[in-house]
């Protein structure tokens, strides 16, 4: 039988425990980083949703005004009082660039920004909220388009990102250090347990009790005239 | 005592949860500063909009008190905004005229008030109570996902750590832990392992003592036998049984354990699909008029399970002919192809075909890995090697669903299927690296149909197989793989949440199987445990119609796990005993056992799909539970109450069918 040196044996165990702890510390760090990333994404998403939902409420209200007028026979292009409604609503929302009313072909007929009138609205453009305007037969007769400034959202997203990572970096470092410490303490305890196990007098209670019992039975068995020693 | 790896895992899981709690606290602070004002602004806009509508009604001459359908309108406003806990319309006197939602428990919540103006001043007020904890709950749900992924990642790391650290080093650690655990339990058997070679110098003092005691014990027994002292022999034997002195206990051989990381990775592939498979199948079959949604959801699971059941026996000899390593590689690549095709196809029938291909690969990998373990282990080490093999599968069952659910939720089911394909390829690479090339084995004749038929005549075996083994797998596959995912999906749970529900069963199995196995052995009451397990798992499912809520679903899953933990090891042991005492070839009994179990796996989702369409979730679950209870009763009545011959604990492990989904 090949018997390795204690040094080699110790190195093998050290290598195993250090690698194990390193792998686990990496996992802990990765999980904290992922957690922060997902929390950041969730909060930024929640902020964007809240802002867009607010614009959607306003857009829907304007749509319903237009629909009521249309149901009385007033076509969208001739609802001239809308310009003032749009300006008033736009003034209430600091992050809005413009509120446009487009007809069924997409041409902007009214807007809180007068220079947009006559242009063609891009229905697929980002950073806008659209509410459809329908007539009594459910046909689309126009769109209310609220264009907002994405920089406002980006600013808040940056603030969320900064604040979360300010908490996350020390947490991440703490998790890694705690992992290494716990690993080191447990590995040390294992080493001490191995050393103790070399001496039966320092074995755990259950092992010591069994050893004493075995020694006793073996003594009985070896005693002269052991036949009949079974109890 | 627990080992270093388990202790480090528990400690890091706690550290991780604490760290994520700190992130949660940070998220709450930043949400308070940024998102709460945005929600309040939204509430103001909604209040203004609703107030404007009331003002128009008042201007049209309708008194506020006479307005109708206001609560329904408020319900509409609240529907897309869960953060609006309550919207109410009240008079300036404070009298509430209409209300939607409730502000119970939200005494400190912010309230946004909008005055409704009439000709002579305010005529009413709209008050919106904002509950910002909804946002924190979203963050909490995300962090819960991450915490689960973290804990699961730790378990994955434990399985794969041998790849990173090296098999020799891990074997050394296992050897050290094994001896310390044995001492803590008062076991003084000689430990036989090849991992111990690496740390021989450290372990030599312990091994020297146990070897010396063992030699002395054997000598004492031989002398007592020679002297005809039956009482002393009995005393020595009792001591040996209790303390292990004079016995040799083995761990898995390093060669046999080499397949474990590759097998774990491969098993993970299929487990990843559990939470979203029924939903995905339903989506693909949406245009197929010939299939009901529930049958469409069940067919891919049935096809997979049926192929695995039918191919296990013939593939055993295929794997022997190919060589275990080649069999593993071929199976893993075949399964990867199946997952990849499943991911790209939008055609339901091609998807089904891809599941069949995956099932073929799965069966080939399974029998090759099992064959490799059996080929490279012997004696005491074989039981340990097979136990480790089973544990790798169970840990995959535990880890796969929550990870698969999160991937499917965040990146889509197609990406999750591609992930399975990629992991299958990685498992093939790992197998190519770590599983040694072995000469093609001597091909043993596989169990034939005649063997199976002869085995079926073994006394009371069919009562055990058809009364307990088949219904147990039937209920497991029906409940965990189809009924629960579909019901939870209907109740609005995400795939990630469904994955967490699916952890309950394997978690209980991992924790409780060794406990109940030891108890059944100690009390010599295996048949009793099989019957009790059937009753517990069946009754759990029969409770569901009382209130098919998430709580009772958890209870049903927990009782299923607990019941099957009670019965599975005893059931395997009874089969092993029958095999050991069967005339002719034991392989026939074991082959029949596995065939029956896996048929249950295939029949479960099929039956559940039909029942679900016919009678709905709760009745379908209860009916399947009743089948299990009836099966247990039939087995009890068959007279198999007598304890089986003892001393087959090793057989039990060797014949255990993994306790896994397939």
């Amino acid at each position: 039988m090949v018997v390795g040196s204690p040094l080699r044996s110790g190195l093998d165990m050290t290598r195993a425990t250090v690698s194990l702890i390193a792998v686990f510390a990496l996992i802990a760090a990765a999980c904290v980083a992922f957690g922060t990333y997902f929390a950041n994404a969730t909060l930024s998403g929640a902020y964007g949703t809240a802002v867009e939902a607010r614009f959607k409420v306003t857009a829907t209200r304007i749509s319903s005004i237009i629909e009521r007028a249309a149901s009385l026979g007033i076509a969208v292009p001739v609802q001239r009082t809308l310009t003032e409604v749009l300006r008033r609503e736009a003034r209430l929302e600091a992050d809005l660039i413009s509120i446009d009313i487009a007809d069924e072909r997409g041409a902007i007929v009214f807007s809180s920004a007068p220079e947009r009138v006559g242009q063609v609205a891009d229905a697929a453009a980002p950073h806008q909220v659209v509410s459809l305007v329908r007539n009594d037969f459910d046909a689309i007769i126009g769109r209310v388009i609220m264009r907002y400034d994405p920089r406002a959202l980006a600013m808040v997203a940056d603030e969320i990102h900064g604040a979360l990572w300010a908490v996350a970096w020390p947490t991440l470092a703490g998790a890694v250090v705690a992992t290494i410490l716990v690993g080191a303490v447990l590995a040390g305890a294992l080493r001490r347990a191995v050393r103790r196990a070399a001496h039966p007098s320092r074995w755990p209670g259950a092992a010591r009790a069994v050893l004493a019992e075995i020694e006793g039975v073996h003594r009985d068995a070896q005693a002269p005239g052991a036949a009949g020693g079974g109890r | 005592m627990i080992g270093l790896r388990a202790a480090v895992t528990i400690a890091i899981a706690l550290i991780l949860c604490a760290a994520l709690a700190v992130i949660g606290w940070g998220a709450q602070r930043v949400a308070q500063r940024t998102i709460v004002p945005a929600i309040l602004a939204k509430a103001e806009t909604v209040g203004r909009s609703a107030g404007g509508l009331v003002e128009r009604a008042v201007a049209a001459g309708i008194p506020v008190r006479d307005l109708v359908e206001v609560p329904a309108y408020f319900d509409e406003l609240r529907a897309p905004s869960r953060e609006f806990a309550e919207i109410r319309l009240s008079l300036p006197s404070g009298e509430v005229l209409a209300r939607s939602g409730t502000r119970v428990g939200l005494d400190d919540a912010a309230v946004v008030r909008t005055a409704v103006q009439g000709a002579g001043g305010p005529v009413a007020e709209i008050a919106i109570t904002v509950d910002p904890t909804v946002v924190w709950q979203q963050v909490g749900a995300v962090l819960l996902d991450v915490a689960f992924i973290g804990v699961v990642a730790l378990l994955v790391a434990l399985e794969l750590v041998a790849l990173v650290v090296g098999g020799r080093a891990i074997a050394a650690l296992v050897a050290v832990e094994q001896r310390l655990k044995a001492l803590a339990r008062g076991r003084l058997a000689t430990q036989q392992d090849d991992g111990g070679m690496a740390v021989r110098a450290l372990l030599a003092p312990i091994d020297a003592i146990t070897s010396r005691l063992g030699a002395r014990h054997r000598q004492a027994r031989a002398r007592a036998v020679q002297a005809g002292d039956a009482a002393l022999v009995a005393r020595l034997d009792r001591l040996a049984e209790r303390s292990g002195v004079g016995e040799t206990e083995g761990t898995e051989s390093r060669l046999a354990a080499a397949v474990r990381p590759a097998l774990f990775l491969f098993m993970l592939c299929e487990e990843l699909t559990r939470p979203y498979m029924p939903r995905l199948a339903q989506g693909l079959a949406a245009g197929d008029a010939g299939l009901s949604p529930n049958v469409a959801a069940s067919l891919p699971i049935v096809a997979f399970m049926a192929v695995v059941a039918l191919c296990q026996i013939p593939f055993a000899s295929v794997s022997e002919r190919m060589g275990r390593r080649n069999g593993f590689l071929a199976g893993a690549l075949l399964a990867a192809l199946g997952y990849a095709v499943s991911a790209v196809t939008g055609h339901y029938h091609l998807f089904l075909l891809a599941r069949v291909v995956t099932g073929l690969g799965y069966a080939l990998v399974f029998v090759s890995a099992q064959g490799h373990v059996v080929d490279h282990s012997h004696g005491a080490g074989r039981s340990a090697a097979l136990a480790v093999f089973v544990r790798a599968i169970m840990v995959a069952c535990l880890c796969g669903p929550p990870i698969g659910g999160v991937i499917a939720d965040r990146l889509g089911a197609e990406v999750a299927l591609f992930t399975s394909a990629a992991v299958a390829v990685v498992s093939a690479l790992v197998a190519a690296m770590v599983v040694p090339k072995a000469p093609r084995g001597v091909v043993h004749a596989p169990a034939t149909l005649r063997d199976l038929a002869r085995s079926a005549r073994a006394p009371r075996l069919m009562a055990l197989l058809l009364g307990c083994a088949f219904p147990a797998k039937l209920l497991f596959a029906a409940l965990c793989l189809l009924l629960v995912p579909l019901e939870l999906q209907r109740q609005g749970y995400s795939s990630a949440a469904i994955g967490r529900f699916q952890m309950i069963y394997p978690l209980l199995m991992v924790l409780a199987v060794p406990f109940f196995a030891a108890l059944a052995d100690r009390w010599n009451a295996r048949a009793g445990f099989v019957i009790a397990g059937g009753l517990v798992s069946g009754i759990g499912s029969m409770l569901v119609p009382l209130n098919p809520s998430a709580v009772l679903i958890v209870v049903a899953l927990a009782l299923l796990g607990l019941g099957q933990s009670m019965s599975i090891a005893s059931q395997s042991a009874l089969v092993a005993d029958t095999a050991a005492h069967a005339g002719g070839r034991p392989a026939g009994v074991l082959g029949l056992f596995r065939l029956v179990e896996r048929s249950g796996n295939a029949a479960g989702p099929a039956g559940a799909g039909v029942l679900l369409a016919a009678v709905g979730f709760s009745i379908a679950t209860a009916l399947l539970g009743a089948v299990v209870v009836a099966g247990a009763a039939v087995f009890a009545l068959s007279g198999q109450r007598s304890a089986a011959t003892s001393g087959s604990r090793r057989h039990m492990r060797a014949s255990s069918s993994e306790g896994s989904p397939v």
Side-chain angles (χ1 to χ4, degrees):
Chain A
M1 184 172 71
V2 181
V3 177
S5 70
L7 179 64
R8 175 71 186 272
S9 297
L11 281 177
D12 269 326
M13 239 181 81
T14 305
R15 192 171 135 231
T17 48
V18 167
S19 308
L20 197 67
I21 292 164
V23 168
F24 282 8
L26 273 178
I27 290 172
C31 287
V32 174
F34 272 127
T36 309
Y37 169 78
F38 283 132
N40 185 21
T42 305
L43 288 181
S44 299
Y47 181 78
T49 304
V51 170
E52 289 198 344
R54 195 174 80 222
F55 295 148
K56 185 79 181 176
V57 170
T58 306
T60 307
R61 192 167 67 237
I62 296 170
S63 297
S64 66
I65 293 171
I66 301 170
E67 283 170 356
R68 262 198 312 278
S71 71
L72 295 172
I74 306 168
V76 176
V78 294
Q79 294 184 19
R80 301 195 187 285
T81 52
L82 281 174
T83 304
E84 188 45 40
V85 172
L86 299 184
R87 282 188 187 144
R88 193 176 64 230
E89 291 290 350
R91 273 198 302 273
L92 292 172
E93 298 284 3
D95 298 333
L96 272 180
I97 298 172
S98 71
I99 308 177
D100 306 328
I101 311 291
D103 64 14
E104 69 271 29
R105 289 183 299 277
I108 296 172
V109 288
F110 302 105
S111 175
S112 60
E115 69 277 9
R116 302 240 332 139
V117 175
Q119 293 179 14
V120 175
D122 179 2
H127 314 303
Q128 64 181 23
V129 173
V130 179
S131 175
L132 298 175
V133 183
R134 297 172 188 273
N135 64 13
D136 292 344
F137 303 104
D138 211 27
I140 297 169
I141 54 172
R143 286 179 172 79
V144 179
I145 303 161
M146 306 193 67
R147 296 163 58 235
Y148 60 84
D149 186 354
R151 283 173 304 182
L153 257 63
M155 247 167 55
V156 176
D158 285 346
E159 188 184 344
I160 291 170
H161 182 271
L164 268 180
W165 280 99
V167 175
W169 281 121
T171 308
L172 193 149
V176 170
V177 169
T179 302
I180 291 169
L181 283 179
V182 165
V185 167
L186 289 172
L190 184 70
R191 281 179 165 286
R192 280 194 299 280
V194 173
R195 279 200 292 271
R196 275 200 307 273
H199 308 285
S201 58
R202 297 169 69 191
W203 278 1
R208 278 205 313 274
V210 165
L211 180 63
E213 194 181 349
I214 291 170
E215 298 281 10
V217 174
H218 287 183
R219 240 190 335 268
D220 289 350
Q222 283 171 344
R231 277 178 238 161
Chain B
M1 75 170 269
I2 57 171
L4 174 74
R5 290 173 298 170
V8 171
T9 306
I10 293 168
I12 295 175
L14 293 176
I15 291 170
L16 199 57
C17 290
L20 290 174
V22 173
I23 301 293
W25 169 78
Q28 185 176 341
R29 271 185 16 156
V30 72
Q32 190 79 48
R33 212 167 54 233
T34 55
I35 297 175
V36 171
I39 293 174
L40 292 177
K42 177 181 160 188
E44 274 174 24
T45 306
V46 169
R48 223 168 36 235
S49 178
L53 205 59
V54 178
E55 280 171 4
R56 269 199 299 279
V58 171
I62 304 169
V64 178
R65 207 178 271 283
D66 293 346
L67 289 173
V68 293
E69 296 291 327
V70 179
Y73 171 62
F74 285 172
D75 285 344
E76 273 178 39
L77 290 177
R78 284 181 57 243
S81 306
R82 287 196 306 131
E83 63 273 26
F84 293 167
E86 186 200 61
I87 305 179
R88 65 164 76 178
L89 174 69
S90 51
L91 294 175
S93 63
E95 183 189 348
V96 177
L97 297 177
R99 170 190 286 149
S100 166
T102 176
R103 53 169 303 167
V104 173
L106 293 167
D107 296 337
D108 298 331
V111 180
V112 176
R113 298 173 193 281
T114 308
V116 178
Q117 301 291 338
V123 292
E125 179 190 78
I126 289 175
I128 301 178
T129 304
V130 174
D131 177 10
T133 59
V134 170
V135 177
W136 305 332
Q137 282 164 12
Q138 283 177 24
V139 174
V142 166
L143 292 176
L144 188 66
D145 275 356
V146 174
F148 267 88
I149 288 180
V151 172
V152 163
L154 291 176
L155 292 174
V156 172
L158 270 181
E159 288 300 317
L160 302 182
V161 76
L163 287 179
V164 182
V165 179
R168 203 175 105 123
I170 285 298
L173 201 56
V174 168
V176 169
E177 287 185 348
Q178 186 188 359
R179 280 157 180 80
L180 294 177
K181 279 182 184 173
L183 286 179
R185 289 201 318 269
R187 298 284 298 173
L188 298 183
T190 304
Q191 304 293 330
Q192 176 198 61
D193 54 55
D194 53 358
M197 290 302 291
V199 280
R200 177 62 68 199
L202 281 179
L203 302 177
I206 310 170
D207 289 351
I209 297 168
T210 52
S211 297
R212 199 172 57 240
L213 284 174
R216 210 166 65 196
H217 194 81
R218 281 189 293 273
Q219 281 169 9
R221 191 181 187 281
R223 269 201 308 274
V225 168
Q226 207 172 13
D229 187 344
L232 182 58
V233 170
R235 192 177 165 203
L236 286 165
D237 285 350
R238 277 199 306 274
L239 185 62
E241 193 182 336
R242 212 172 60 249
S243 67
V245 64
E247 292 181 359
T248 301
E249 289 181 349
T251 55
E252 73 272 24
S253 87
R254 195 138 55 90
L255 216 51
V259 77
R260 180 174 164 168
L263 178 72
F264 168 75
L265 282 173
F266 183 80
M267 292 293 157
L268 200 59
C269 304
E270 184 57 28
E271 297 305 324
L272 288 171
T273 68
R274 302 288 189 215
Y276 63 84
M277 182 57 73
R279 187 191 314 226
L280 177 65
Q282 277 185 339
L284 284 171
D288 195 329
L291 284 172
S292 78
N294 294 324
V295 172
S298 71
L299 275 183
I301 304 171
V302 174
F304 176 86
M305 293 293 188
V307 167
V308 173
L310 293 174
C311 292
Q312 292 260 316
I313 292 175
F315 275 12
S317 56
V318 171
S319 149
E320 276 182 314
R321 279 198 191 89
M322 292 176 79
R324 306 302 189 188
R325 184 171 178 270
N326 291 343
F328 194 112
L329 295 183
L333 294 176
L334 202 58
L337 176 70
Y339 289 124
V341 173
S342 307
V344 294
T345 185
H347 192 278
Y348 183 74
H349 292 99
L350 187 56
F351 182 78
L352 270 185
L353 187 65
R355 293 296 296 156
V356 169
V357 172
T358 306
L360 287 171
Y362 188 100
L364 188 52
V365 167
F366 190 90
V367 295
S368 299
Q370 198 172 34
H372 170 85
V373 171
V374 171
D375 293 348
H376 291 96
S377 58
H378 47 80
R382 178 169 290 174
S383 301
L386 281 167
V388 169
F389 175 86
V390 172
R391 207 160 53 234
I393 298 172
M394 291 309 295
V395 175
C397 295
L398 194 60
C399 298
I403 300 179
V406 171
I407 296 174
D409 273 353
R410 303 203 176 273
L411 304 171
E414 292 77 13
V415 175
L417 277 167
F418 271 125
T419 306
S420 289
V423 176
V425 172
V426 171
S427 78
L429 292 174
V430 171
M433 280 191 309
V434 301
V435 178
K437 272 185 189 166
R440 291 176 185 192
V442 178
V443 178
H444 302 102
T448 61
L449 283 176
R450 188 177 294 173
D451 289 328
L452 299 186
R454 196 180 302 142
S455 304
R457 288 197 289 272
R460 294 183 293 272
L461 179 66
M462 290 315 286
L464 174 65
L465 297 189
L466 296 181
C468 299
F470 181 86
K473 290 291 180 183
L474 178 98
L475 180 61
F476 159 75
L479 197 63
C480 293
L481 306 187
L482 188 79
L483 293 174
V484 165
L486 283 179
E487 175 61 15
L488 291 175
Q489 172 195 326
R490 196 189 63 75
Q491 290 185 15
Y493 284 90
S494 66
S495 295
I498 293 171
R500 288 198 287 271
F501 278 88
Q502 286 175 318
M503 288 176 80
I504 294 171
Y505 171 84
L507 184 67
L508 279 165
M509 291 289 281
V510 167
L511 296 176
V513 165
F515 171 73
F516 285 122
L519 218 56
D521 275 358
R522 194 179 309 153
W523 294 350
N524 203 13
R526 288 178 182 145
F529 272 76
V530 170
I531 295 164
L535 294 177
V536 168
S537 54
I539 289 170
S541 298
M542 290 169 73
L543 292 176
V544 169
L546 294 178
N547 178 16
S549 63
V551 175
L552 267 190
I553 289 174
V554 168
V555 170
L557 287 173
L559 288 181
L560 176 71
L562 204 64
Q564 297 211 354
S565 304
M566 291 169 82
S567 64
I568 200 155
S570 295
Q571 188 178 286
S572 302
L574 289 175
V575 172
D577 286 335
T578 308
H581 296 99
R585 301 177 54 205
V589 176
L590 300 177
L592 187 66
F593 175 46
R594 291 190 181 126
L595 185 65
V596 168
E597 271 199 318
R598 287 173 174 87
S599 302
N601 277 331
V610 173
L611 280 175
L612 195 59
V615 294
F617 166 74
S618 53
I619 301 295
T621 305
L623 285 175
L624 290 166
V627 169
V628 176
V629 169
V634 166
F635 175 62
L637 292 174
S638 78
Q640 181 111 359
R641 287 172 184 281
S642 58
T645 314
S646 62
S648 61
R649 198 163 168 191
R650 285 173 187 168
H651 290 157
M652 172 196 85
R653 282 178 176 167
S655 71
S656 167
S657 67
E658 312 88 45
S660 66
V662 283

